[in-house]
Amino acid sequence: MSETPEIKQQLPEREKKIADNIAIKLGKDVLGIEIKPKRIKVKIKYKCIKKAANYFKTELNLDHIVSVSGVDYPNDNEIEVVYHAGTYERKDLRDLLIALAYRIPRENPKTQTLIDIWPSIEYDERETHEMLGVFFEGHPKLEKLFLPEDWNDKPPLRKDFKNPGR
């Protein structure tokens, strides 16, 4: 019997080139980059979110945010905020989604809004605020979007939220 040779998966060339350029431009602010076909996730220091977002918008022409989401990491006492950016303008990148992710302290989850860079994220940041308790400083309208006006419980996407009806 012969052994099956180990197959090494090659990184997609286009995505690797873009990721390398991001790493060079953002330098020490980059904490890690994950590359998959048609997907790049850039993990950054939260204090450089505006710098990174401006680079994504101006240099990569990522002209819109597809979604803003978050992940609660109670064991790490952090919340990860993730912006998924894309482009309509650049035909060569229309199928590419780049995630810009960073972690903030869970007990005081404050970060800067990116509404001045991508105005269309108004509702996405409001949803992330409502569901995870992330406060986007400078956002002009952080008010209820889905939950009842009288909601006074923990944000429902926090891992320690307990649904009283179950």
Side-chain angles (χ1 to χ4, degrees):
M1 292 178 96
S2 64
E3 290 186 32
T4 307
E6 185 178 318
I7 300 172
K8 288 189 175 185
Q9 186 176 5
Q10 291 245 342
L11 293 175
E13 190 174 316
R14 173 187 70 164
E15 287 81 348
K16 180 164 179 358
K17 183 178 178 182
I18 293 168
D20 288 345
N21 288 336
I22 292 170
I24 291 168
K25 179 66 177 183
L26 298 178
K28 293 179 182 178
D29 294 330
V30 175
L31 300 174
I33 298 179
E34 298 171 14
I35 303 169
K36 295 180 181 178
K38 301 181 183 180
R39 300 286 182 268
I40 300 171
K41 182 177 183 181
V42 182
K43 298 176 184 180
I44 60 165
K45 296 176 182 175
Y46 79 93
K47 293 191 181 219
C48 78
I49 184 61
K50 290 273 191 178
K51 175 184 171 184
N54 276 314
Y55 172 73
F56 278 31
K57 172 105 185 240
T58 60
E59 299 297 319
L60 297 176
N61 294 328
L62 299 178
D63 51 34
H64 71 281
I65 293 295
V66 176
S67 66
V68 179
S69 62
V71 181
D72 184 18
Y73 292 99
N75 293 339
D76 297 336
N77 199 29
E78 294 177 321
I79 291 178
E80 183 177 64
V81 179
V82 185
Y83 290 85
H84 300 93
T87 183
Y88 295 118
E89 188 176 312
R90 288 189 57 182
K91 292 179 183 179
D92 62 322
L93 298 181
R94 283 187 185 162
D95 64 338
L96 180 65
L97 189 68
I98 301 181
L100 181 58
Y102 59 99
R103 290 187 177 197
I104 55 177
R106 189 175 190 266
E107 73 277 352
N108 189 18
K110 291 183 181 180
T111 186
Q112 299 174 3
T113 182
L114 297 183
I115 202 166
D116 54 325
I117 298 168
W118 291 294
S120 64
I121 62 169
E122 177 189 347
Y123 290 104
D124 297 286
E125 284 186 346
R126 282 176 62 189
E127 179 183 8
T128 304
H129 168 70
E130 187 173 25
M131 296 297 166
L132 278 169
V134 175
F135 184 80
F136 294 92
E137 294 177 321
H139 192 288
K141 197 175 182 180
L142 280 183
E143 56 189 44
K144 296 277 192 264
L145 189 62
F146 298 112
L147 295 174
E149 287 298 321
D150 61 348
W151 182 270
N152 61 1
D153 204 341
K154 289 181 182 176
L157 292 183
R158 294 274 184 114
K159 300 262 172 95
D160 53 352
F161 172 74
K162 304 287 185 226
N163 186 340
R166 293 187 182 181

